[in-house]
Amino acid sequence: MASAVFEGTSLVNMYVRGCWVNGIRRLIISRRGDEEEFYEIRTEWSDRNILYLHRSYSDLGRLFKRLLDSFPEDRPELSRSPLLQGL
């Protein structure tokens, strides 16, 4: 599988230095004008680039479930995660 490139740096060599929730934004999600609340997440990468992500509550819930499924030995620590407390 080829690695993705993020502004000239291979993602294989990169990691997230920090991640913060900046707040919640309402975004239009359909042509009918339906809106949904999304968390605005600021991520700082190892090369100091900053990327802003917008994810819904259900996106974060799916992420947490995948983490639990992928790392069953870490379930006790994950259950005390600030992510879970925030959800």
Side-chain angles (χ1 to χ4, degrees):
M1 180 167 108
S3 66
V5 176
F6 184 73
E7 295 199 15
T9 305
S10 170
L11 284 178
V12 173
N13 300 321
M14 292 182 60
Y15 59 91
V16 175
R17 291 175 50 108
C19 185
W20 303 267
V21 175
N22 283 345
I24 298 175
R25 298 182 74 188
R26 281 188 131 348
L27 299 174
I28 296 173
I29 58 169
S30 73
R31 290 180 185 217
R32 294 184 316 205
D34 297 331
E35 292 184 353
E36 188 172 341
E37 287 184 343
F38 284 80
Y39 294 89
E40 182 178 87
I41 303 166
R42 180 184 185 267
T43 56
E44 182 180 338
W45 290 82
S46 54
D47 66 354
R48 302 216 182 259
N49 276 312
I50 295 173
L51 179 66
Y52 289 91
L53 306 170
H54 294 96
R55 296 293 181 261
S56 68
Y57 178 82
S58 60
D59 291 337
L60 295 175
R62 281 191 300 275
L63 168 65
F64 190 75
K65 182 172 179 357
R66 287 182 68 188
L67 288 171
L68 289 174
D69 292 344
S70 297
F71 303 99
E73 65 279 1
D74 293 327
R75 281 178 186 249
E77 284 184 49
L78 288 170
S79 66
R80 294 186 300 271
S81 165
L83 174 62
L84 182 61
Q85 294 168 6
L87 292 175

Coordinates of all heavy atoms in Angstrom, one line a residue:
M1 N 0.8 -1.2 0.0 CA 0.0 0.0 0.0 C 0.9 1.2 0.0 O 1.8 1.4 0.8 CB -0.9 0.0 1.3 CG -1.8 1.1 1.4 SD -3.0 0.8 2.7 CE -2.4 1.9 3.9
A2 N 0.6 2.2 -0.9 CA 1.4 3.4 -0.9 C 1.0 4.3 0.2 O -0.1 4.4 0.6 CB 1.1 4.1 -2.3
S3 N 2.0 5.0 0.7 CA 1.7 6.0 1.8 C 1.2 7.3 1.2 O 1.6 7.7 0.1 CB 3.0 6.2 2.6 OG 4.0 6.9 1.8
A4 N 0.4 7.9 2.0 CA -0.1 9.2 1.6 C 1.0 10.3 1.8 O 1.8 10.1 2.6 CB -1.4 9.5 2.3
V5 N 0.8 11.4 1.1 CA 1.8 12.5 1.3 C 1.1 13.7 1.9 O 0.0 14.0 1.4 CB 2.5 12.8 0.0 CG1 3.4 14.0 0.2 CG2 3.3 11.6 -0.5
F6 N 1.6 14.2 2.9 CA 1.0 15.4 3.6 C 2.0 16.5 3.5 O 3.0 16.6 4.3 CB 0.7 15.0 5.0 CG 0.0 16.1 5.8 CD1 -1.3 16.4 5.6 CD2 0.6 16.8 6.8 CE1 -2.0 17.3 6.3 CE2 0.0 17.7 7.5 CZ -1.3 18.0 7.3
E7 N 1.8 17.4 2.6 CA 2.7 18.5 2.3 C 4.2 18.1 2.3 O 5.0 18.7 3.0 CB 2.5 19.6 3.4 CG 1.1 20.2 3.3 CD 0.9 21.5 4.0 OE1 2.0 22.2 4.3 OE2 -0.2 22.0 4.2
G8 N 4.4 17.1 1.5 CA 5.8 16.7 1.2 C 6.4 15.8 2.2 O 7.5 15.4 2.1
T9 N 5.7 15.4 3.2 CA 6.2 14.5 4.3 C 5.3 13.2 4.2 O 4.1 13.3 4.2 CB 6.1 15.1 5.7 OG1 6.8 16.4 5.6 CG2 6.7 14.2 6.7
S10 N 6.0 12.1 4.3 CA 5.3 10.8 4.3 C 4.5 10.7 5.6 O 5.1 11.0 6.7 CB 6.3 9.7 4.2 OG 5.6 8.5 4.4
L11 N 3.3 10.3 5.6 CA 2.5 10.1 6.8 C 3.1 9.0 7.7 O 2.8 8.9 8.9 CB 1.0 9.8 6.4 CG 0.2 11.0 6.0 CD1 -1.2 10.5 5.6 CD2 0.1 12.0 7.1
V12 N 3.8 8.1 7.1 CA 4.4 7.0 7.8 C 5.3 7.5 8.9 O 5.4 7.0 10.0 CB 5.2 6.0 6.9 CG1 6.0 5.0 7.7 CG2 4.3 5.4 5.9
N13 N 6.0 8.6 8.7 CA 6.9 9.2 9.6 C 6.3 10.3 10.5 O 7.0 10.9 11.3 CB 8.1 9.8 8.9 CG 8.9 8.8 8.1 OD1 9.0 7.7 8.5 ND2 9.3 9.1 6.9
M14 N 5.0 10.5 10.3 CA 4.4 11.6 11.1 C 3.5 11.1 12.2 O 3.1 9.9 12.2 CB 3.5 12.4 10.1 CG 4.3 13.2 9.1 SD 3.3 14.2 8.1 CE 2.5 15.3 9.2
Y15 N 3.3 11.9 13.2 CA 2.4 11.6 14.3 C 1.7 12.9 14.8 O 2.2 14.0 14.5 CB 3.2 10.9 15.5 CG 4.3 11.8 16.0 CD1 4.1 12.7 17.1 CD2 5.6 11.8 15.5 CE1 5.1 13.5 17.6 CE2 6.6 12.6 16.0 CZ 6.3 13.4 17.0 OH 7.3 14.2 17.5
V16 N 0.6 12.7 15.5 CA -0.1 13.9 16.0 C 0.5 14.3 17.3 O 0.7 13.5 18.3 CB -1.6 13.5 16.2 CG1 -2.3 14.7 16.9 CG2 -2.2 13.2 14.9
R17 N 1.0 15.5 17.4 CA 1.6 16.1 18.6 C 0.6 16.5 19.6 O 0.8 16.5 20.8 CB 2.5 17.3 18.3 CG 3.7 16.9 17.5 CD 4.5 18.2 17.1 NE 4.7 19.1 18.2 CZ 5.8 19.3 18.8 NH1 6.9 18.7 18.4 NH2 5.9 20.1 19.8
G18 N -0.5 17.0 19.1 CA -1.6 17.5 20.0 C -2.9 17.6 19.3 O -3.0 17.7 18.1
C19 N -4.0 17.5 20.1 CA -5.3 17.5 19.5 C -6.2 18.2 20.5 O -6.2 17.8 21.7 CB -5.7 16.0 19.3 SG -7.3 15.9 18.5
W20 N -7.0 19.2 20.1 CA -7.9 19.9 20.9 C -9.2 20.1 20.2 O -9.3 20.3 19.0 CB -7.3 21.3 21.2 CG -6.0 21.3 21.8 CD1 -5.7 21.4 23.1 CD2 -4.7 21.3 21.1 NE1 -4.3 21.4 23.3 CE2 -3.7 21.3 22.1 CE3 -4.4 21.2 19.8 CZ2 -2.4 21.3 21.7 CZ3 -3.0 21.2 19.4 CH2 -2.0 21.2 20.4
V21 N -10.3 20.1 21.0 CA -11.6 20.5 20.5 C -11.8 22.0 20.7 O -11.7 22.5 21.8 CB -12.7 19.7 21.2 CG1 -14.1 20.2 20.8 CG2 -12.6 18.2 21.0
N22 N -11.9 22.7 19.6 CA -12.0 24.1 19.6 C -13.5 24.6 20.0 O -13.7 25.6 20.5 CB -11.6 24.8 18.3 CG -10.2 24.8 18.1 OD1 -9.4 24.7 19.1 ND2 -9.7 25.1 16.9
G23 N -14.4 23.7 19.6 CA -15.8 24.1 19.8 C -16.7 23.3 18.9 O -16.3 22.4 18.3
I24 N -18.0 23.8 18.9 CA -19.0 23.1 18.0 C -19.5 24.1 17.0 O -19.7 25.3 17.3 CB -20.1 22.6 18.9 CG1 -19.6 21.6 19.9 CG2 -21.3 22.0 18.1 CD1 -20.7 21.1 20.9
R25 N -19.6 23.6 15.8 CA -20.1 24.4 14.7 C -21.3 23.8 14.1 O -21.4 22.6 14.0 CB -19.1 24.6 13.6 CG -17.8 25.3 14.1 CD -16.9 25.5 13.0 NE -17.3 26.6 12.2 CZ -16.8 26.9 11.0 NH1 -15.7 26.2 10.6 NH2 -17.2 27.9 10.3
R26 N -22.3 24.6 13.6 CA -23.4 24.0 12.9 C -23.1 24.1 11.4 O -22.8 25.2 10.9 CB -24.7 24.8 13.2 CG -25.3 24.5 14.5 CD -26.7 25.2 14.6 NE -27.9 24.6 15.0 CZ -28.2 23.3 15.1 NH1 -27.3 22.4 14.8 NH2 -29.4 22.9 15.5
L27 N -23.2 23.0 10.7 CA -22.9 23.0 9.3 C -24.1 22.5 8.5 O -24.8 21.6 9.0 CB -21.7 22.1 9.0 CG -20.4 22.5 9.7 CD1 -19.3 21.5 9.4 CD2 -19.9 23.9 9.2
I28 N -24.3 23.0 7.3 CA -25.4 22.5 6.5 C -24.9 21.2 5.9 O -23.8 21.1 5.3 CB -25.7 23.5 5.4 CG1 -26.3 24.8 6.0 CG2 -26.7 23.0 4.4 CD1 -26.5 26.0 5.1
I29 N -25.8 20.1 6.0 CA -25.3 18.8 5.5 C -26.2 18.3 4.3 O -25.9 17.2 3.8 CB -25.4 17.8 6.6 CG1 -26.8 17.7 7.2 CG2 -24.4 18.1 7.7 CD1 -27.1 16.5 8.1
S30 N -27.1 19.1 3.8 CA -27.9 18.7 2.7 C -28.4 19.9 1.9 O -28.3 21.0 2.3 CB -29.1 17.8 3.1 OG -30.1 18.7 3.7
R31 N -28.8 19.6 0.7 CA -29.3 20.7 -0.2 C -30.6 21.3 0.4 O -31.0 22.4 0.0 CB -29.6 20.1 -1.6 CG -28.3 19.8 -2.3 CD -28.6 19.3 -3.7 NE -27.4 18.9 -4.3 CZ -27.1 19.0 -5.6 NH1 -28.0 19.6 -6.4 NH2 -25.9 18.6 -6.0
R32 N -31.3 20.5 1.2 CA -32.6 21.0 1.8 C -32.3 22.0 2.9 O -33.2 22.7 3.5 CB -33.4 19.9 2.4 CG -33.9 18.9 1.4 CD -34.8 17.9 2.0 NE -34.1 17.4 3.2 CZ -34.4 16.3 3.8 NH1 -35.2 15.5 3.3 NH2 -33.7 15.9 4.9
G33 N -31.0 22.2 3.3 CA -30.7 23.1 4.4 C -30.6 22.5 5.7 O -30.5 23.2 6.7
D34 N -30.7 21.1 5.8 CA -30.6 20.5 7.1 C -29.2 20.8 7.7 O -28.2 20.8 7.0 CB -30.7 18.9 6.9 CG -32.0 18.5 6.4 OD1 -33.0 19.2 6.7 OD2 -32.1 17.5 5.7
E35 N -29.2 21.0 9.0 CA -28.0 21.3 9.7 C -27.7 20.3 10.7 O -28.6 19.6 11.2 CB -28.1 22.7 10.4 CG -28.2 23.9 9.5 CD -28.2 25.2 10.3 OE1 -28.3 25.2 11.5 OE2 -28.2 26.2 9.6
E36 N -26.4 20.1 11.0 CA -25.9 19.2 12.1 C -24.8 19.9 12.8 O -24.0 20.6 12.3 CB -25.5 17.9 11.5 CG -25.2 16.8 12.5 CD -24.9 15.4 11.9 OE1 -25.3 15.2 10.7 OE2 -24.4 14.6 12.6
E37 N -24.7 19.5 14.1 CA -23.6 20.1 14.9 C -22.3 19.2 14.7 O -22.4 18.0 14.7 CB -23.9 20.1 16.4 CG -24.9 21.2 16.7 CD -25.2 21.3 18.2 OE1 -24.9 20.4 18.9 OE2 -25.7 22.4 18.6
F38 N -21.2 19.9 14.5 CA -19.9 19.2 14.3 C -18.9 19.8 15.3 O -18.9 21.0 15.5 CB -19.4 19.4 12.9 CG -20.1 18.5 11.9 CD1 -21.3 18.9 11.4 CD2 -19.5 17.4 11.4 CE1 -21.9 18.1 10.4 CE2 -20.1 16.6 10.5 CZ -21.4 17.0 10.0
Y39 N -18.1 18.9 15.8 CA -17.0 19.3 16.7 C -15.9 19.8 15.8 O -15.5 19.2 14.8 CB -16.5 18.2 17.5 CG -17.4 17.7 18.6 CD1 -18.4 16.7 18.3 CD2 -17.5 18.3 19.8 CE1 -19.3 16.3 19.2 CE2 -18.4 17.8 20.8 CZ -19.3 16.8 20.5 OH -20.2 16.4 21.4
E40 N -15.3 21.0 16.1 CA -14.1 21.5 15.4 C -12.9 21.0 16.2 O -12.7 21.4 17.3 CB -14.1 23.0 15.2 CG -13.0 23.5 14.4 CD -13.0 24.9 14.2 OE1 -12.4 25.7 15.0 OE2 -13.5 25.4 13.2
I41 N -12.1 20.2 15.5 CA -10.9 19.6 16.2 C -9.6 20.1 15.6 O -9.5 20.0 14.4 CB -11.0 18.1 16.1 CG1 -12.3 17.6 16.7 CG2 -9.8 17.4 16.8 CD1 -12.6 16.1 16.4
R42 N -8.8 20.7 16.4 CA -7.5 21.2 15.9 C -6.4 20.2 16.2 O -6.3 19.7 17.3 CB -7.1 22.5 16.7 CG -5.8 23.1 16.3 CD -5.5 24.3 17.2 NE -4.3 25.0 16.8 CZ -3.1 24.8 17.2 NH1 -2.9 23.8 18.1 NH2 -2.1 25.5 16.8
T43 N -5.7 19.7 15.2 CA -4.6 18.7 15.3 C -3.3 19.4 14.9 O -3.3 20.0 13.8 CB -4.9 17.5 14.5 OG1 -5.1 17.8 13.1 CG2 -6.1 16.7 15.0
E44 N -2.3 19.2 15.7 CA -1.0 19.7 15.4 C -0.1 18.4 15.1 O 0.0 17.5 15.9 CB -0.4 20.5 16.5 CG 1.0 21.0 16.1 CD 1.6 21.8 17.2 OE1 0.9 22.3 18.1 OE2 2.9 21.9 17.2
W45 N 0.5 18.4 13.9 CA 1.3 17.2 13.5 C 2.7 17.4 13.9 O 3.2 18.5 14.2 CB 1.2 17.1 12.0 CG -0.2 16.6 11.6 CD1 -1.3 17.3 11.4 CD2 -0.6 15.2 11.4 NE1 -2.4 16.5 11.1 CE2 -2.0 15.2 11.1 CE3 0.1 14.0 11.4 CZ2 -2.7 14.1 10.8 CZ3 -0.6 12.8 11.1 CH2 -2.0 12.9 10.8
S46 N 3.5 16.4 13.8 CA 4.9 16.4 14.2 C 5.7 17.4 13.4 O 6.7 17.9 13.9 CB 5.5 15.0 14.1 OG 5.3 14.5 12.8
D47 N 5.3 17.7 12.1 CA 6.0 18.7 11.4 C 5.5 20.1 11.6 O 5.8 21.0 10.9 CB 6.0 18.3 9.9 CG 4.6 18.4 9.3 OD1 3.6 18.6 10.0 OD2 4.5 18.3 8.1
R48 N 4.7 20.3 12.6 CA 4.1 21.5 13.1 C 3.0 22.1 12.2 O 2.5 23.2 12.4 CB 5.2 22.6 13.4 CG 6.2 22.1 14.4 CD 6.6 23.3 15.2 NE 7.6 22.9 16.2 CZ 7.4 22.6 17.5 NH1 6.2 22.7 17.9 NH2 8.3 22.2 18.3
N49 N 2.6 21.3 11.2 CA 1.4 21.7 10.4 C 0.2 21.6 11.3 O 0.1 20.7 12.2 CB 1.2 20.8 9.2 CG 2.1 21.3 8.0 OD1 2.1 22.5 7.7 ND2 2.8 20.4 7.4
I50 N -0.8 22.4 11.1 CA -2.0 22.4 11.8 C -3.2 22.1 10.9 O -3.3 22.7 9.8 CB -2.3 23.7 12.6 CG1 -1.2 23.9 13.6 CG2 -3.7 23.7 13.2 CD1 -1.2 25.2 14.3
L51 N -4.0 21.1 11.3 CA -5.1 20.7 10.5 C -6.4 20.8 11.3 O -6.4 20.3 12.5 CB -4.9 19.2 10.0 CG -6.0 18.6 9.2 CD1 -6.1 19.3 7.8 CD2 -5.7 17.1 9.0
Y52 N -7.4 21.4 10.8 CA -8.7 21.5 11.5 C -9.7 20.5 10.9 O -9.8 20.4 9.6 CB -9.3 22.9 11.3 CG -8.6 23.9 12.1 CD1 -7.5 24.6 11.5 CD2 -8.9 24.1 13.4 CE1 -6.8 25.5 12.3 CE2 -8.1 25.1 14.2 CZ -7.1 25.8 13.6 OH -6.4 26.7 14.3
L53 N -10.3 19.7 11.7 CA -11.2 18.6 11.3 C -12.6 19.0 11.9 O -12.7 19.6 12.9 CB -10.8 17.3 11.9 CG -9.4 16.8 11.6 CD1 -9.0 15.6 12.4 CD2 -9.3 16.5 10.1
H54 N -13.6 18.6 11.1 CA -15.0 18.7 11.6 C -15.6 17.3 11.7 O -15.7 16.7 10.6 CB -15.8 19.6 10.7 CG -15.3 21.0 10.7 ND1 -14.4 21.5 9.8 CD2 -15.5 22.0 11.6 CE1 -14.1 22.8 10.1 NE2 -14.7 23.1 11.2
R55 N -16.0 16.9 12.9 CA -16.6 15.6 13.0 C -17.8 15.6 13.9 O -17.9 16.4 14.8 CB -15.6 14.6 13.7 CG -14.3 14.4 12.9 CD -14.6 13.6 11.7 NE -13.4 13.3 10.9 CZ -13.0 14.0 9.8 NH1 -13.7 15.0 9.4 NH2 -12.0 13.6 9.2
S56 N -18.8 14.8 13.5 CA -20.1 14.8 14.2 C -19.9 13.9 15.5 O -19.0 13.1 15.6 CB -21.2 14.2 13.3 OG -20.9 12.8 13.1
Y57 N -20.9 14.0 16.3 CA -21.0 13.2 17.5 C -20.9 11.7 17.2 O -20.2 10.9 17.8 CB -22.3 13.5 18.3 CG -22.5 12.7 19.5 CD1 -21.9 13.1 20.7 CD2 -23.3 11.6 19.5 CE1 -22.1 12.4 21.9 CE2 -23.5 10.9 20.7 CZ -22.9 11.3 21.9 OH -23.1 10.6 23.0
S58 N -21.7 11.3 16.2 CA -21.7 9.9 15.8 C -20.3 9.5 15.2 O -19.9 8.3 15.4 CB -22.8 9.6 14.8 OG -22.7 10.4 13.6
D59 N -19.6 10.4 14.5 CA -18.3 10.0 14.0 C -17.3 9.7 15.2 O -16.6 8.8 15.1 CB -17.6 11.2 13.2 CG -18.3 11.5 11.9 OD1 -18.9 10.6 11.3 OD2 -18.2 12.7 11.5
L60 N -17.4 10.5 16.2 CA -16.5 10.3 17.4 C -16.9 9.0 18.2 O -16.1 8.3 18.6 CB -16.6 11.5 18.3 CG -16.0 12.8 17.7 CD1 -16.2 14.0 18.7 CD2 -14.6 12.7 17.4
G61 N -18.2 8.7 18.2 CA -18.7 7.5 18.8 C -18.1 6.3 18.1 O -17.7 5.3 18.7
R62 N -18.2 6.3 16.7 CA -17.7 5.2 15.9 C -16.2 5.1 16.1 O -15.6 4.0 16.2 CB -18.0 5.4 14.4 CG -19.4 5.0 14.1 CD -19.6 5.0 12.6 NE -19.4 6.3 11.9 CZ -20.3 7.2 11.8 NH1 -21.5 7.1 12.3 NH2 -20.0 8.4 11.2
L63 N -15.4 6.2 16.2 CA -14.0 6.1 16.4 C -13.7 5.4 17.7 O -12.8 4.6 17.8 CB -13.4 7.6 16.4 CG -12.0 7.7 17.0 CD1 -11.0 6.9 16.0 CD2 -11.6 9.1 17.1
F64 N -14.4 5.8 18.8 CA -14.2 5.2 20.1 C -14.5 3.7 20.1 O -13.7 2.9 20.6 CB -15.0 5.9 21.2 CG -14.6 5.5 22.5 CD1 -13.4 6.0 23.1 CD2 -15.4 4.7 23.3 CE1 -13.1 5.7 24.4 CE2 -15.0 4.3 24.5 CZ -13.8 4.8 25.1
K65 N -15.5 3.3 19.4 CA -15.9 1.9 19.3 C -14.8 1.1 18.6 O -14.4 0.0 19.0 CB -17.2 1.7 18.6 CG -17.6 0.2 18.6 CD -19.0 0.0 18.1 CE -19.4 -1.4 17.9 NZ -18.5 -2.5 18.2
R66 N -14.2 1.7 17.5 CA -13.2 1.1 16.7 C -11.9 1.0 17.6 O -11.2 0.0 17.5 CB -12.9 1.8 15.5 CG -14.0 1.6 14.4 CD -13.7 2.3 13.1 NE -12.5 1.7 12.5 CZ -11.9 2.2 11.4 NH1 -12.4 3.3 10.9 NH2 -10.9 1.6 10.9
L67 N -11.6 2.0 18.4 CA -10.5 1.9 19.3 C -10.6 0.8 20.3 O -9.7 0.0 20.5 CB -10.3 3.2 20.0 CG -9.7 4.4 19.2 CD1 -9.8 5.7 20.0 CD2 -8.3 4.1 18.7
L68 N -11.8 0.6 20.9 CA -12.1 -0.5 21.8 C -11.9 -1.8 21.1 O -11.3 -2.7 21.7 CB -13.5 -0.3 22.4 CG -13.7 0.8 23.4 CD1 -15.2 0.9 23.8 CD2 -12.8 0.6 24.6
D69 N -12.4 -1.9 19.9 CA -12.3 -3.2 19.2 C -10.9 -3.5 18.8 O -10.5 -4.7 18.8 CB -13.2 -3.2 17.9 CG -14.7 -3.2 18.3 OD1 -15.1 -3.5 19.4 OD2 -15.5 -2.8 17.4
S70 N -10.2 -2.5 18.4 CA -8.8 -2.7 17.9 C -7.8 -2.9 19.0 O -6.7 -3.5 18.8 CB -8.3 -1.5 17.1 OG -9.2 -1.3 16.0
F71 N -8.1 -2.4 20.2 CA -7.1 -2.5 21.4 C -7.8 -3.0 22.6 O -8.0 -2.3 23.6 CB -6.5 -1.1 21.6 CG -5.8 -0.5 20.4 CD1 -6.4 0.4 19.6 CD2 -4.5 -1.0 20.1 CE1 -5.7 1.0 18.5 CE2 -3.8 -0.4 19.0 CZ -4.5 0.5 18.2
P72 N -8.3 -4.3 22.6 CA -9.1 -4.8 23.7 C -8.3 -4.8 25.0 O -8.8 -4.6 26.1 CB -9.4 -6.2 23.3 CG -8.5 -6.5 22.1 CD -8.1 -5.2 21.5
E73 N -6.9 -4.9 24.9 CA -6.1 -5.0 26.1 C -6.1 -3.6 26.8 O -5.7 -3.5 28.0 CB -4.7 -5.5 25.8 CG -3.9 -4.6 24.9 CD -4.1 -4.7 23.4 OE1 -5.0 -5.5 23.0 OE2 -3.5 -4.0 22.7
D74 N -6.4 -2.6 26.1 CA -6.4 -1.2 26.6 C -7.8 -0.7 27.0 O -7.9 0.5 27.4 CB -5.8 -0.2 25.6 CG -4.3 -0.5 25.3 OD1 -3.6 -0.9 26.3 OD2 -3.9 -0.3 24.2
R75 N -8.8 -1.6 27.0 CA -10.1 -1.1 27.4 C -10.2 -0.4 28.7 O -10.9 0.6 28.8 CB -11.1 -2.3 27.4 CG -11.5 -2.7 26.0 CD -12.4 -3.9 26.0 NE -12.7 -4.4 24.7 CZ -13.9 -4.2 24.1 NH1 -14.9 -3.7 24.8 NH2 -14.0 -4.6 22.8
P76 N -9.6 -0.9 29.8 CA -9.7 -0.2 31.1 C -9.2 1.3 31.0 O -9.8 2.2 31.5 CB -8.8 -1.0 32.0 CG -8.8 -2.4 31.4 CD -8.8 -2.2 29.9
E77 N -8.1 1.5 30.3 CA -7.6 2.9 30.1 C -8.5 3.7 29.2 O -8.7 4.9 29.5 CB -6.2 2.8 29.5 CG -5.1 2.5 30.5 CD -3.7 2.5 30.0 OE1 -3.4 3.6 29.3 OE2 -3.0 1.6 30.1
L78 N -9.0 3.1 28.1 CA -9.8 3.8 27.2 C -11.1 4.2 27.8 O -11.7 5.2 27.5 CB -10.1 2.9 25.9 CG -8.9 2.8 25.0 CD1 -9.2 1.7 23.9 CD2 -8.6 4.1 24.3
S79 N -11.6 3.4 28.8 CA -12.9 3.7 29.5 C -12.7 4.9 30.3 O -13.7 5.5 30.7 CB -13.4 2.5 30.3 OG -12.5 2.2 31.3
R80 N -11.5 5.3 30.7 CA -11.3 6.5 31.5 C -10.8 7.7 30.6 O -10.4 8.7 31.0 CB -10.2 6.2 32.5 CG -10.6 5.3 33.6 CD -9.6 5.1 34.7 NE -8.3 4.7 34.2 CZ -7.9 3.4 34.1 NH1 -8.7 2.4 34.4 NH2 -6.7 3.1 33.7
S81 N -10.9 7.5 29.3 CA -10.4 8.5 28.3 C -11.3 9.8 28.4 O -12.5 9.7 28.5 CB -10.6 7.9 26.9 OG -10.4 8.9 25.9
P82 N -10.6 10.9 28.2 CA -11.3 12.2 28.1 C -12.3 12.2 26.9 O -13.3 12.9 27.0 CB -10.2 13.2 28.0 CG -9.0 12.6 28.5 CD -9.1 11.1 28.2
L83 N -12.0 11.4 25.9 CA -12.9 11.4 24.7 C -14.2 10.8 25.2 O -15.3 11.3 24.8 CB -12.3 10.5 23.6 CG -13.2 10.2 22.4 CD1 -13.6 11.5 21.7 CD2 -12.5 9.3 21.4
L84 N -14.2 9.7 25.9 CA -15.4 9.1 26.4 C -16.2 10.0 27.3 O -17.4 10.2 27.2 CB -15.1 7.8 27.1 CG -16.4 7.0 27.6 CD1 -17.3 6.6 26.4 CD2 -15.9 5.8 28.3
Q85 N -15.5 10.7 28.2 CA -16.1 11.7 29.1 C -16.7 12.8 28.3 O -17.8 13.3 28.7 CB -15.1 12.2 30.1 CG -14.6 11.1 31.0 CD -13.4 11.5 31.8 OE1 -13.0 12.7 31.8 NE2 -12.8 10.6 32.6
G86 N -16.1 13.2 27.2 CA -16.6 14.3 26.4 C -17.9 13.9 25.6 O -18.7 14.7 25.4
L87 N -17.9 12.6 25.3 CA -19.1 12.1 24.5 C -20.3 11.9 25.4 O -21.4 12.0 25.1 CB -18.8 10.8 23.8 CG -17.8 11.0 22.6 CD1 -17.4 9.6 22.1 CD2 -18.3 11.8 21.5

